[in-house]
Amino acid sequence: MQAKEDPRHRVRREPLLSRRKFLSTSASAVGVAGVVAASPSYGDDLRDVPARALGDELTPSSKRSQYESIARIPEAGPGIREVDPADAINSKAPLHKFVGTITPSDLHYERSHAGVPDLDPSSHRLLIHGMTERSIVLTMDEIRSMPSISRIAFLECTGNGWENWKRADENLTVQNTHGLVSTHEWTGVPLSYVIDLVNKDRGSTWMLAEGGDGAAVARSIPLTDEIMSEAILAYGQNGEALRPAHGYPLRLLIPGWEGNLSIKWLRRLKFGDRPFMTRWETARYTQLLPSGKARQFQLVQETNSVITFPSGTMHINSGYHRISGLAWSGYGAISKVEVSTDGGSTWRDAQLSHPVLPKAQVRFEIDWQWDGQPTSIRSRSTDDKGNVQPDRKTFIAMMGTNALFHYNAQQTWAISGTGAVRNVLE
């Protein structure tokens, strides 16, 4: 019987490619050749690399490298940027500096209506009542002792994209246009578990979720099968307790729906048979349509995507580039992202980086050889339910320009002959 070849030996017998041969062998592969041509700093060995040295002492928590600069930016509303943090209502995530899909906890976008409360978990309580057989008040210790689950999901402020409703400021970055979306691993107790504890009345079809912040944000949530199976009472994010700005010690998490429905600093759940019509759903989170009527309870975040490299205010050189971006849908998983590099005339399928999870952001990439001529680039996502991200013309025809929330039109970046990347509406 012939012995099988040890793959480790096979690798050792293969001659190493010299740098000259590697360049020659790769010349037919446009993508790889482009990478090499754009990277003249490659060396043959490590002689030019700084010598090893002793490092700093261990610390209780890890800092970022001194060579990395990354931060959120505050804003006070559409077009009201570079404000004092005390006047800000939002803080946007730097999408153009992220890799992968998980947002670092300290860079998750923020949105609050009355600042960040300082809640002591030892005194925090959750009241559950209304159309139930019994009412209960839970401590955080009791909640943490319940069966838990973890899930990766995006959260998106319903105002994400509002900068481009009426006009395009060419000086905007992708952080300005799309920085109100983030993805985390969330940990907590299934909503269905605590509902069983109070034995909800079968006639109850809505739930009021109320926060413990100074603005008393409260939203009505329909108890659909989707909500009953997916909603979580979350106390953890990315392997640690919630950060205070994201609802510490407890928040509701509804994957794929408006971020404001995932009530932070959660202190009350009340069950009823109709919407509770809080001011947040009669005076705030409504959509003014072209007909003049207002739409209430537009709850699901639509199919969306944006190119993060290259993107607004960047400069690029002619030659090879690997376009990269993020896509997401509140209806399910992203099934396809297409990219156009000629103003929407033609489209190519981008590569999706796995894992591709339902109601979570996915990164897409595609090779591009830019000839140095002025053009524009954009992405178009499709989810597994068949929802396709609309172009701006189609989107405005449906929604008009008087609405403020749920902007998911394709984002276009124009590129000039000098390589300047600018935000435009096309």
Side-chain angles (χ1 to χ4, degrees), residues 84-103:
D84 187 299
D87 299 323
I89 62 171
N90 292 327
S91 188
K92 292 185 169 180
L95 302 188
H96 56 303
K97 294 192 174 182
F98 290 159
V99 297
T101 56
I102 299 296
T103 309

Side-chain angles (χ1 to χ4, degrees), residues 249-286:
L250 185 69
R251 73 176 302 162
L252 185 64
L253 176 74
I254 302 182
W257 288 32
E258 286 183 348
N260 67 80
L261 294 166
S262 291
I263 295 292
K264 295 188 285 189
W265 313 294
L266 183 66
R267 73 170 190 176
R268 185 163 72 107
L269 296 175
K270 183 177 182 180
F271 295 93
D273 59 2
R274 67 199 67 184
F276 291 81
M277 295 298 181
T278 70
R279 67 173 292 268
W280 303 98
E281 48 217 24
T282 56
R284 182 61 181 171
Y285 292 112
T286 59

Side-chain angles (χ1 to χ4, degrees), residues 18-43 319-321 369:
S18 67
R19 181 170 183 261
R20 182 186 300 277
K21 186 174 181 179
F22 174 73
L23 290 172
S24 174
T25 304
S26 305
S28 60
V30 174
V32 175
V35 172
V36 174
S39 306
S41 60
Y42 278 130
Y320 173 81
H321 297 280
Q369 196 76 22

Side-chain angles (χ1 to χ4, degrees), residues 135-151:
S135 300
I136 61 174
V137 177
L138 298 172
T139 67
M140 285 306 302
D141 285 342
E142 290 171 329
I143 292 172
R144 289 196 189 98
S145 69
M146 295 176 181
S148 67
I149 59 173
S150 295
R151 172 177 181 169

Side-chain angles (χ1 to χ4, degrees), residues 318-334:
S318 60
Y320 173 81
H321 297 280
R322 189 154 178 83
I323 293 174
S324 178
L326 293 164
W328 61 97
S329 172
Y331 292 99
I334 292 296

Side-chain angles (χ1 to χ4, degrees), residues 100-251:
T101 56
I102 299 296
T103 309
S105 295
D106 61 332
L107 296 174
H108 188 297
Y109 82 86
E110 283 187 33
R111 173 73 172 104
S112 63
H113 296 271
V116 178
D118 180 18
L119 301 182
D120 183 346
S122 66
S123 58
H124 189 71
R125 299 289 185 272
L126 173 64
L127 166 64
I128 306 176
H129 66 144
M131 293 179 63
T132 61
E133 183 176 288
R134 66 183 70 87
S135 300
I136 61 174
V137 177
L138 298 172
T139 67
M140 285 306 302
D141 285 342
E142 290 171 329
I143 292 172
R144 289 196 189 98
S145 69
M146 295 176 181
S148 67
I149 59 173
S150 295
R151 172 177 181 169
I152 295 175
F154 77 83
L155 265 186
E156 183 177 23
C157 175
T158 186
N160 202 24
W162 60 13
E163 295 282 4
N164 279 342
W165 266 109
K166 296 181 183 298
R167 65 185 184 88
D169 182 336
E170 66 173 14
N171 297 312
L172 296 188
T173 68
V174 69
Q175 186 171 10
N176 296 128
T177 60
H178 288 78
L180 292 176
V181 60
S182 299
T183 291
H184 277 183
E185 181 196 65
W186 304 95
T187 298
V189 179
L191 173 65
S192 58
Y193 184 86
V194 297
I195 284 179
D196 288 343
L197 292 180
V198 296
N199 195 15
K200 178 181 73 67
D201 189 301
R202 289 188 176 184
S204 173
T205 53
W206 287 80
M207 175 180 75
L208 177 74
E210 178 187 83
D213 56 327
V217 176
R219 290 300 312 266
S220 303
I221 299 166
L223 295 173
T224 63
D225 291 343
E226 177 184 7
I227 295 299
M228 295 293 283
S229 63
E230 297 191 37
I232 300 172
L233 306 185
Y235 50 75
Q237 61 179 135
N238 289 349
E240 62 176 347
L242 293 171
R243 298 291 177 100
H246 305 308
Y248 182 84
L250 185 69
R251 73 176 302 162

